[in-house]
Amino acid sequence: MNHWIIAPVILPALLAPIIAFVMRHDIVLARAASALGAVALAAIAVGLTILAMDGSTHVYYLGDWPAPFGIVLVLDRLSAMMVLLTSILALVVLWHMMATGRDQRGRHFHALFQFQLMGVCGAFLTGDAFNLFVFFEVLLIASYGLMIHGGGRVRMRAGLQYVVMNLAGSTLFLFALGALYAATGTLNMADLAEKVRAIPMEDAALVRVAAVLLLMVFAIKAALVPVHFWLPGTYSNAPAPVAALFAIMTKVGAYAIIRVYTLIFGPDVVATDGLITTLLVPAATLTLAVGAFGALAAKRFMPMLSFAVIGSMGTLTFAISGMTPEAMSAALYYMVHSTFAAAALFLLADLVTRRRGNDALTPQMETEKHGIFSALFFAGAIAMTGMPPLSGFFGKLLVLDAVRDTAWMTVAWVAILVGSLITIVGFARAGSILFWKARRNPNGDPDAQWVARSDRSPLNAQKLTSIFTMLFMMAMLVAAARPISVYMDAAAAQIFDVTSYIEAVLRPAGEVLK
């Protein structure tokens, strides 16, 4: 066994309590420990990605207990890519929080940040359905603490709505796991994949119920319509850098759909044949429509970005609905792009809204470095709406091409293209209000009321580094499109190679110890 596979879970799990109990009164030590942990996580993620590139499915057996009796962590191209994406995003967001001083606005930010990384990485690596539930709960607790970081009545109210929705999802998750265990006697994903395929159609009613319940749970995490209500309020009222970190949260739901509905309830499973496409295509259409019209109608900057995230999940869900290696490759590329695009815009929103004093889409006084903010918004809007030359354009082209031969191609193409147009109009409207219609004070001094509300700290390169890094990553997705597409194609092919996954995890006990 390769013990580095468990490192993305163990490292933040050890750091979080140390920071919380030993360094809580010393921000310098807390920052140092958290930064070192994030750098180490990124280095480990790079190493795991290199390891996964050999095409093998690497399994870590906790306590050397063989599957399906013990807990397993599974590393393949997909899980390695998601851990690497998480580590890059975490490092950038942490840099921004420290550069702007936002990590000092509330208590225990760095401890909660590490717990969040533990939950996300654990969800991507686990090979056990019950432990996926456990890591979802770790995510819920840590993300709630991060969401209300800094306090405030509005933030607490939005946080309550977020918790209630996700607790309902957790309850459904337990019901689904109970149904699966009753039908198969196991919760190990590889074992489930084997046993679900052996259940005859006439005895699979309980399995179909579990499949629908799980899809609803993952749809909540992915913020798909009609269970998306938690996202606009949560992302809009959370500190903007935390919302940038939450860009990976919806991808946890998308990852769970990909993993569970290719491995356990795959296209070759008779009991759930056609289920995923039948349910996901209407959800994708509605999600894209709600996201696009929400971005167009938003009266505040942060809600506009939140609805844009919902719209991007609609596009991603169309790709997932294809349930072919080609469609899944497009989904993986677009998933990486949309995470970087959302993070870049939320990090920019943090700087802009703090200098404006609010996030209302109304003309106000020009801010410091007004031209730089305008250019960054323009680049971020191009990326999020899918215009050339950044990766959003290539991502949407891949998605459109991947669903070209499906029965619902017309629905997907119309929804994606019209949704993109509406989102472009929404971003153009917001940009013109925020930057083009900004007022100049003839005396050169902002009015006193604006000064009282806004952040007047100097804008330096450190505060802009995180945004430029996200834009650079999207540019690299274009510049290195060929090797990245090759990796995505290989990852998609491996996702659908269920037999190899089962054989790698369900080894005889004698082969576990080497």
Side-chain angles (χ1 to χ4, degrees):
M1 292 190 298
N2 190 324
H3 293 283
W4 285 108
I5 297 174
I6 199 174
V9 180
I10 290 295
L11 178 62
L14 293 176
L15 270 178
I18 293 174
I19 294 173
F21 292 109
V22 179
M23 306 175 185
R24 58 181 174 177
H25 298 302
D26 192 326
I27 188 63
V28 175
L29 281 178
R31 283 178 169 179
S34 191
L36 287 174
V39 171
L41 178 62
I44 293 168
V46 170
L48 292 179
T49 303
I50 294 172
L51 177 65
M53 288 176 69
D54 66 357
S56 302
T57 300
H58 303 269
V59 186
Y60 185 86
Y61 301 86
L62 274 74
D64 279 338
W65 285 95
F69 308 107
I71 299 171
V72 296
L73 300 179
V74 182
L75 178 77
D76 58 6
R77 289 187 179 98
L78 174 60
S79 56
M81 183 197 80
M82 297 307 294
V83 171
L84 179 61
L85 177 63
T86 302
S87 66
I88 293 172
L89 180 64
L91 197 56
V92 171
V93 170
L94 183 61
W95 173 276
H96 184 92
M97 292 293 285
M98 294 190 297
T100 58
R102 296 278 278 181
D103 58 333
Q104 300 183 69
R105 295 293 182 90
R107 302 185 64 185
H108 304 304
F109 167 80
H110 291 283
L112 291 168
F113 181 81
Q114 294 297 327
F115 275 127
Q116 179 84 350
L117 296 183
M118 170 195 169
V120 173
C121 293
F124 291 146
L125 288 169
T126 186
D128 184 274
F130 184 78
N131 278 279
L132 181 61
F133 165 79
V134 171
F135 285 120
F136 273 16
E137 295 310 292
V138 174
L139 274 175
L140 174 61
I141 296 169
S143 58
Y144 175 71
L146 290 172
M147 190 261 161
I148 62 172
H149 177 72
R153 186 174 62 181
V154 175
R155 194 168 287 170
M156 291 291 289
R157 185 168 60 245
L160 180 62
Q161 181 187 21
Y162 168 67
V163 168
V164 169
M165 279 290 292
N166 280 272
L167 283 179
S170 299
T171 304
L172 291 177
F173 204 162
L174 285 177
F175 288 159
L177 293 179
L180 268 181
Y181 192 80
T184 63
T186 183
L187 290 176
N188 178 278
M189 290 184 183
D191 205 25
L192 279 170
E194 201 168 51
K195 291 186 176 180
V196 165
R197 282 167 172 79
I199 297 177
M201 183 67 176
E202 59 272 16
D203 297 331
L206 203 56
V207 170
R208 288 194 292 274
V209 169
V212 172
L213 287 177
L214 282 176
L215 186 59
M216 187 177 297
V217 172
F218 301 150
I220 292 175
K221 296 296 181 183
L224 301 182
V225 175
V227 286
H228 68 291
F229 299 105
W230 63 271
L231 190 145
T234 301
Y235 283 35
S236 301
N237 294 292
V242 172
L245 180 65
F246 284 4
I248 197 68
M249 294 277 285
T250 50
K251 309 310 182 295
V252 174
Y255 168 86
I257 293 174
I258 293 171
R259 181 67 76 188
V260 170
Y261 291 89
T262 55
L263 178 62
I264 301 174
F265 307 113
D268 60 321
V269 177
V270 178
T272 57
D273 182 38
L275 174 69
I276 184 71
T277 301
T278 302
L279 295 177
L280 279 189
V281 170
T285 306
L286 292 174
T287 301
L288 219 164
V290 168
F293 283 108
L296 177 63
K299 296 181 179 180
R300 292 166 48 212
F301 193 15
M302 290 288 286
M304 186 199 74
L305 299 182
S306 301
F307 278 105
V309 170
I310 292 175
S312 70
M313 288 305 300
T315 303
L316 175 60
T317 305
F318 270 123
I320 295 174
S321 302
M323 279 294 146
T324 63
E326 295 76 17
M328 206 59 68
S329 177
L332 298 183
Y333 185 96
Y334 189 80
M335 189 187 306
V336 175
H337 151 76
S338 59
T339 302
F340 290 147
L345 285 168
F346 277 118
L347 293 174
L348 174 63
D350 180 51
L351 298 179
V352 172
T353 57
R354 289 175 66 192
R355 276 159 175 74
R356 297 179 90 240
N358 58 63
D359 68 340
L361 291 178
T362 55
Q364 295 183 18
M365 303 295 296
E366 281 190 0
T367 62
E368 180 192 6
K369 306 296 183 184
H370 189 75
I372 293 178
F373 287 148
S374 302
L376 290 175
F377 176 82
F378 182 66
I382 284 176
M384 180 59 81
T385 56
M387 296 173 64
L390 293 179
S391 52
F393 177 72
F394 292 93
K396 287 191 176 180
L397 279 183
L398 289 173
V399 174
L400 291 171
D401 183 63
V403 301
R404 184 178 52 185
D405 297 326
T406 62
W408 37 270
M409 181 206 77
T410 303
V411 174
W413 276 52
V414 170
I416 293 173
L417 294 176
V418 174
S420 298
L421 177 61
I422 295 172
T423 307
I424 289 171
V425 174
F427 271 84
R429 166 182 166 271
S432 64
I433 294 173
L434 289 171
F435 304 108
W436 186 57
K437 293 183 180 179
R439 302 191 304 271
R440 289 178 178 270
N441 191 308
N443 299 322
D445 297 320
D447 58 71
Q449 183 182 5
W450 182 75
V451 171
R453 296 196 315 265
S454 63
D455 178 10
R456 304 296 291 163
S457 62
L459 183 67
N460 52 41
Q462 290 181 339
K463 296 178 181 179
L464 295 172
T465 298
S466 56
I467 304 170
F468 279 111
T469 302
M470 291 289 92
L471 293 176
F472 173 77
M473 296 305 297
M474 286 186 282
M476 288 303 298
L477 285 175
V478 178
R482 177 58 183 169
I484 291 174
S485 295
V486 169
Y487 183 92
M488 300 301 184
D489 290 342
Q494 190 176 23
I495 290 170
F496 286 93
D497 188 3
V498 176
T499 302
S500 295
Y501 185 100
I502 294 174
E503 290 178 353
V505 176
L506 300 181
R507 294 173 179 167
E511 292 186 23
V512 174
L513 297 174
K514 289 189 174 181

